Amino acid sequence: MIAIVKYNTGNNLSLSNALTRLGYDNIITDNGEEIINASKVILPAGGEAAPAMKHLRERELDKLIPPLRQPVLGICLGFQLMCRYTEEAKINGLEIFNCSVRMFPKYDRLPHMGWNDFISVWGDIFRGISRKDDVYYAHSHYAGICSNTTAICDYILPFSAAMKKDNFYGVQFLPEKSAATGETILRNFLEL
Amino acid sequence: MLKKRIIPCLDIRDGRTVKGVRFVDIRDAGDPLELAVRHASGGADELVLLNISPAGENRKTFAKCVERVAENINIPFTAGGGIDSIGDAELLLKAGADRISVNSSAVRNPGLINELADRFGSRCIVVAIDTNRIGDDWIVFTGGGRVSSGLKTVEWAVEAARRGAGEILLTSMMNDGTRSGYSIDITADVSRNVDIPVIASGGAGKKEHFKSVFLNTDCSAALAASIFHYGEIKIRKLKEYLYREHIPVRL
């Protein structure tokens, strides 16, 4: 069973639909026991950082998630919540990745919306993916490049398209909306 | 590099895809789910689903349609038409739409854009603008293109962006359905004046029209309907052509 963590801010249906299409049973939950017992845990996209983080704290998931041993994937907002600090919302995240989240400088249109490729990409969940493959983004905040970075995208500036630390993975793009490329990445994670 | 997007639009009435010429003379273009799946696997970068049933009618039927599309495609899509409130937007987002678009209701009540952006985030909010040239001015029309609002198009686009729109979907009514090409001047003018992405719409008839709107304006995406639904232009072939013409697209 795959647990999709509920923050009560966005719609988690897109991800759930994608997992179902790939043949994986999944549950949208903020129940600690269900999350601990899941084979994989995903922090999905959707909503704003401050209310999502508040919900995680209220459910004490901020203490439960960082020590998890099964593979955990953060997507878009979920990835940003796994970082150290979000400057705009002035909140601490789960502090899994040693990197802060910032608003893009306004040198181009925001949000960064649409399909973009990689400057570089490596690591296990990107097996079968090349630099030229496009994935779908919809965001105005970014995490810079740090020792955890495993994929780099360029929009206004180079930023982390993905990170990995131990059993924790984060992607800034939306694999569930990234056609066949996104399905390959999701499947790689689900097969870990 | 960020790619230019190609977006098929499905106008939906009573559970069927339909298409009009210059906003009237509606004809049937098939089952929305079947079309959505065909476009998604055929290389579309995202979809727009518009409920064009008379205001307020068939909200539930449309939401059901959105839900079925969300279950079956792996690219993003926007749902719109007849959204008057936070509740209407929430119904479609909960059904699985990635973004919602507002048009007439935002002109009537511009504060709705702020409310939607605060609640769901700017990246989920598209403001659709139907525009027509009256004398020397491009004027915003509402009610499916029937009613002049008196607003100037660029000014309204700038205000929508300031209030929290994440994207502008700009339809030139005088070009819509004519297959004579996009309206370059208003698309360029709006794109120059806002710092959010702009989708050009209305008038695509051949692949050169897409090249022209991408080369001559700073729009981020181009939308079309009937030429894709009836298969006259294959999206993958169109994108291969644009790639050869040095327009960045996802192949």
Side-chain angles (χ1 to χ4, degrees), chain B residues 159-220:
Chain B
E159 182 177 348
R162 185 174 53 77
R163 286 178 178 275
E167 191 160 45
I168 300 286
L169 165 50
L170 181 72
T171 302
S172 167
M173 293 164 53
M174 58 188 280
N175 301 61
D176 193 58
T178 63
R179 306 192 171 197
S180 56
Y182 293 96
S183 184
I184 299 296
D185 57 346
I186 189 60
T187 307
D189 209 7
V190 169
S191 301
R192 231 188 339 263
N193 282 282
V194 298
D195 52 10
I196 58 176
V198 174
I199 304 171
S201 162
K206 52 184 184 179
K207 53 191 195 311
E208 288 79 5
H209 294 149
F210 291 86
K211 175 187 170 187
S212 169
V213 80
F214 287 134
L215 282 183
N216 295 305
T217 83
D218 197 23
C219 69
S220 300

Side-chain angles (χ1 to χ4, degrees), chain B residues 103-117:
Chain B
N103 188 332
S104 307
S105 57
V107 173
R108 272 197 306 277
N109 169 23
L112 181 63
I113 302 171
N114 304 68
E115 285 176 47
L116 290 166

